């Protein structure tokens, strides 16, 4: 306890410079803790959203035979999820029953027939898009509160209808499940996000907090050595140093939590692209507070104890500025097994023996990524010293000689500045791999995507507008022949209304098509429809303007054409009849016909087409085979979280560089002053400083790019996708590495001042 009090007295009474260092340490820790709190809050935000989704799920109590109890008296509900642009819109149609029912969270009462409760965001959309009222019929009774919504931007509505209007509903006796099947982010994807954030944010954060805890290490070590020489014990010296670092870390942790609380209030109101939450979702939890208030000071204590070890064991060597011992070779130990695992998976992928969904891979891959990241940090001083020794021995340049001899004596000094930048480049490669895997999992395996729009209530102008939506590559009208509902075994055929050019737009591999003639479609890869017999006649009911109705008979032609869909989702069945548009009376179209559009399956194209379709008519019902609009929203949320992680990683890397560069500039002042008094020009000293940082940094960045690309490829090999080698991401990584070198070089220039202060070397 005596040593801890001594450390605090030295902190408060050792001059303005020491107090400035303490403030800098506390400020740096505050930034780090704020970033840590943001990372820890993401799973809690997602869990809170999923909890509200589960609380509003309809439930019906069942007996031992799984039959709903009191189904004849219970209210009935039908849940529909429609794409509104590229966002899901959820509508709950509620029909009251004889039994009463407590309302779900967010409602004070259930809607009566003709009444509607809507979310705040849907309320705004109804004001800007009056046509949307067709999907939400009724008088707006009230607004759903936050307890009944997953997030502020959710499009949600409870619509009251009569019981005879709801034929496909399910009985409801209560609300609330222990889980939800509609997670904001699926558990498997959430594990990937956690793993990525750990590599992108938490690993650089640990390095950054260690840098903050060891500010002014040289000056502090000399002071601690003096305390050891006047009789303080070894452990006492370590406790004195740890007291300073822990006090700064504890103050920084408290400030960081306060900064996060303010940032949470601001960000949740502004929102991130595709990802918003309520302030209470991101509020500081007890686990987050304890992690930050205990973890950050614990790391500072460890760094303080390690930093004071040399002063405690050999104080005379510290006071006389003896040459430091070379870094221990055990720093290479984590890098070797990490690269070994990564290389093994890369070889397995290259030889066609990629592992698929093995529990061993799920354990080894995260372990390898962590080992490589830790190995990069620990091995950089060793490799830096080896590079400095080689270049200093073989170079005849005074500039390189001065720079490399300093790095040889102090191999960790320059890389302490550059470690954050090296980890940032390494983490960028990992994020690329995760985004590639998510893109493979989420997008269609087919190169194209189809959209089916019912034409009931769609005007001719709207139909043409749908066909002209940017990104749409082909279109046609699809229908079925009329069948008698009383017939026990009705036969029907598919009808396609399109020209040959329109057919080729959705099925490019078409041969034998002739415009103006009915033709029978045959796809060798599909099972032929036996009802489509040449010569058979089938009726088609047509709808015209107003209440006009007509019936046209279609005879299955003998002439056939061969076609093949380019999509995994067929736009027509083998045996369908192709009718030219002028074969139908003007102003008429088949009953229950659908407009089929086709575009590229790229996620950004699908989102754009859905948005433009919603711009033509927000109320239209769009079916997207192979694509669930909730999946598109999930991808957006994941990409936003990863982007936020990269921004936090960039902040941490830049902050680590600025803090370490400033600290190094202060520590290097005596050596720079001595060289200036010996006649070295400022231009030469600046070049020496740049070389001291840039050369080992460039070596570390090359290692980070190589190790990062190998880790990314091995991650993709174990992910089960088709892409293993991302050559397109290499230029981006090299650009990031070059940018880091430029930033480090520019940051080294101000280390050499114009004024020479001999007082800095008076004691030497």
């Amino acid at each position: 306890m005596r040593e801890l009090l001594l450390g605090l007295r030295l902190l408060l009474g050792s001059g303005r410079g020491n107090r400035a260092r303490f403030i800098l340490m506390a400020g740096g820790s505050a930034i780090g803790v704020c970033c840590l709190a943001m990372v820890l809050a993401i799973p809690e935000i997602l869990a809170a959203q999923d909890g509200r989704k589960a609380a509003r799920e309809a439930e019906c109590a069942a007996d031992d035979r799984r039959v709903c109890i009191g189904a004849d008296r219970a209210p009935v509900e039908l849940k529909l999820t429609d794409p509104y642009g590229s966002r899901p819109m959820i509508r709950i149609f509620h029909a009251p029953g004889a039994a009463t029912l407590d309302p779900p969270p967010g409602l004070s009462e259930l809607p009566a027939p003709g009444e509607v409760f809507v979310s705040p965001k849907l309320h705004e959309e109804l004001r800007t898009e009056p046509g949307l009222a067709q999907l939400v019929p009724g008088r707006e009774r009230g607004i759903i509160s936050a307890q009944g919504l997953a997030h502020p931007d959710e499009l949600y509505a409870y619509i009251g209808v009569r019981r005879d209007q709801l034929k496909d509903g399910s009985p409801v006796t209560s609300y609330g499940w222990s889980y939800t099947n509609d997670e904001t982010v699926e558990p498997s994807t959430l594990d990937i996000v956690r793993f990525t954030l750990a590599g992108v944010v938490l690993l650089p954060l640990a390095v950054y907090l260690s840098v903050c805890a060891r500010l002014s290490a040289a000056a502090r070590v000399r002071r601690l050595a003096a305390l050891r020489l006047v009789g303080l014990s070894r452990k006492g010296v370590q406790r004195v140093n740890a007291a300073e670092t822990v006090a700064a870390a504890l103050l920084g942790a408290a400030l960081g939590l306060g900064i996060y609380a303010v940032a949470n209030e601001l960000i949740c109101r502004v929102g991130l692209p595709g990802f918003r939450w309520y302030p209470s979702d991101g509020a500081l939890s007890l686990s987050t507070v304890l992690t930050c208030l205990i973890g950050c000071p614990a790391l500072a204590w460890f760094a303080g104890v390690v930093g004071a070890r040399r002063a405690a064991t050999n104080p005379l060597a510290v006071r006389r500025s003896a040459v430091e011992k070379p870094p221990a070779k055990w720093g290479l130990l984590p890098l070797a097994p990490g690269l070994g695992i990564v290389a093994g998976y890369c070889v397995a992928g290259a030889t066609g023996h990629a592992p698929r969904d093995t529990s061993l891979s799920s354990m080894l891959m995260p372990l390898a990524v962590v080992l490589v990241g830790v190995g990069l940090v620990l091995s950089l001083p060793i490799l830096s010293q080896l590079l400095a020794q080689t270049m200093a021995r073989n170079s005849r340049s005074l500039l390189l000689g001065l720079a490399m001899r300093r790095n040889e004596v102090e191999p960790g000094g320059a890389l302490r500045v550059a470690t954050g930048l090296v980890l940032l480049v390494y983490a960028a490669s990992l994020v690329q791999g995760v985004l590639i895997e998510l893109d493979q999992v989420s997008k269609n395996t087919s190169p194209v995507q189809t959209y089916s729009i019912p034409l009931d209530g769609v005007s001719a102008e709207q139909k043409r507008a749908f066909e002209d939506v940017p990104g749409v590559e082909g279109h046609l009208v699809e229908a079925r022949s009329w069948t008698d509902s009383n017939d026990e075994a009705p036969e029907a055929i598919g009808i396609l209304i399109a020209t040959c050019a329109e057919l080729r737009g959705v099925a490019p591999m078409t041969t034998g098509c002739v415009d103006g003639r009915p033709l029978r479609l045959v796809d060798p890869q599909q099972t032929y429809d036996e009802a489509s017999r040449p010569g058979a006649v089938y009726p088609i009911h047509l709808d015209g303007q107003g209440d006009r109705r007509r019936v046209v008979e279609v005879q299955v032609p003998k002439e056939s054409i061969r076609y093949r869909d380019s999509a995994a989702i067929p736009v027509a069945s083998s045996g369908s009849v192709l009718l030219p548009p002028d074969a139908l009376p003007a102003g008429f179209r088949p009953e229950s016909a659908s407009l089929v559009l086709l575009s590229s399956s790229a996620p950004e194209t699908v989102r754009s087409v859905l948005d433009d379709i919603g711009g033509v008519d927000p109320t239209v019902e769009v079916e997207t085979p192979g694509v669930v609009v909730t999946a598109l929203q999930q991808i957006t949320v994941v990409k936003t979280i990863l982007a936020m992680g990269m921004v936090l990683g960039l902040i941490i890397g830049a902050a680590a560089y600025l803090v370490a560069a400033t600290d190094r500039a202060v520590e290097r002042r005596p050596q720079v002053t001595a060289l200036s008094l010996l006649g070295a020009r400022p231009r030469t000293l600046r070049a020496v400083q740049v070389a001291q940082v840039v050369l080992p940094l460039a070596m570390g960045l090359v290692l980070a790019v190589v190790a990062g690309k190998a880790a990314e490829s091995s991650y993709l090999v174990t992910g089960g996708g088709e892409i293993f080698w991302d050559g397109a991401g290499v230029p981006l990584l090299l650009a990031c590495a070059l940018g880091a070198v430029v930033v480090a070089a520019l940051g080294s220039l101000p280390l050499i001042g114009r004024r020479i202060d001999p007082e800095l070397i008076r004691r030497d």
Side-chain angles (χ1 to χ4, degrees), residues 60 68-77 94-103 110 163 171-175:
C60 186
C68 183
I69 302 173
D72 54 339
R73 303 180 67 253
V76 178
E77 286 190 356
H94 176 85
T100 58
L101 180 66
D102 292 333
L110 286 162
R163 199 176 183 90
V172 181
T173 58
S174 63
Y175 293 96

Side-chain angles (χ1 to χ4, degrees), residues 1-70:
M1 189 66 183
R2 180 170 57 89
E3 292 86 357
L4 298 179
L5 294 176
L6 176 59
L8 294 178
R9 290 183 63 185
L10 289 174
L11 174 66
L12 298 176
S14 55
R16 186 174 55 185
N18 199 56
R19 286 192 292 270
R21 175 184 57 81
F22 175 79
I23 294 174
L24 185 60
M25 290 172 60
S29 299
I31 296 175
V33 168
C34 180
C35 294
L36 176 62
M38 288 183 181
V39 173
L40 296 177
I42 289 175
E44 297 178 357
I45 292 172
L46 298 177
Q49 294 183 353
D50 292 342
R52 288 193 294 272
K53 288 182 179 180
R56 70 191 183 191
E57 293 287 347
E59 180 67 282
C60 186
D63 54 19
D64 297 338
R65 298 173 297 173
R66 295 184 179 180
V67 177
C68 183
I69 302 173

Side-chain angles (χ1 to χ4, degrees), residues 54 68 100 127 158 277 387 394 415 475 601 633 635 664 698:
C68 183
T100 58
R127 296 182 62 182
Y158 290 93
W277 62 91
L387 175 68
N394 299 324
L415 284 173
H475 59 85
S601 63
Q633 186 184 45
I635 296 170
R664 184 170 180 269

Side-chain angles (χ1 to χ4, degrees), residues 679-703:
R681 293 180 300 176
R683 180 182 302 175
T684 302
L685 293 177
R686 290 192 180 93
V688 168
Q689 293 292 327
V690 171
Q692 285 180 359
V693 175
V694 166
L695 290 179
L697 173 61
M699 178 197 64
L701 290 176
V702 170
L703 183 60

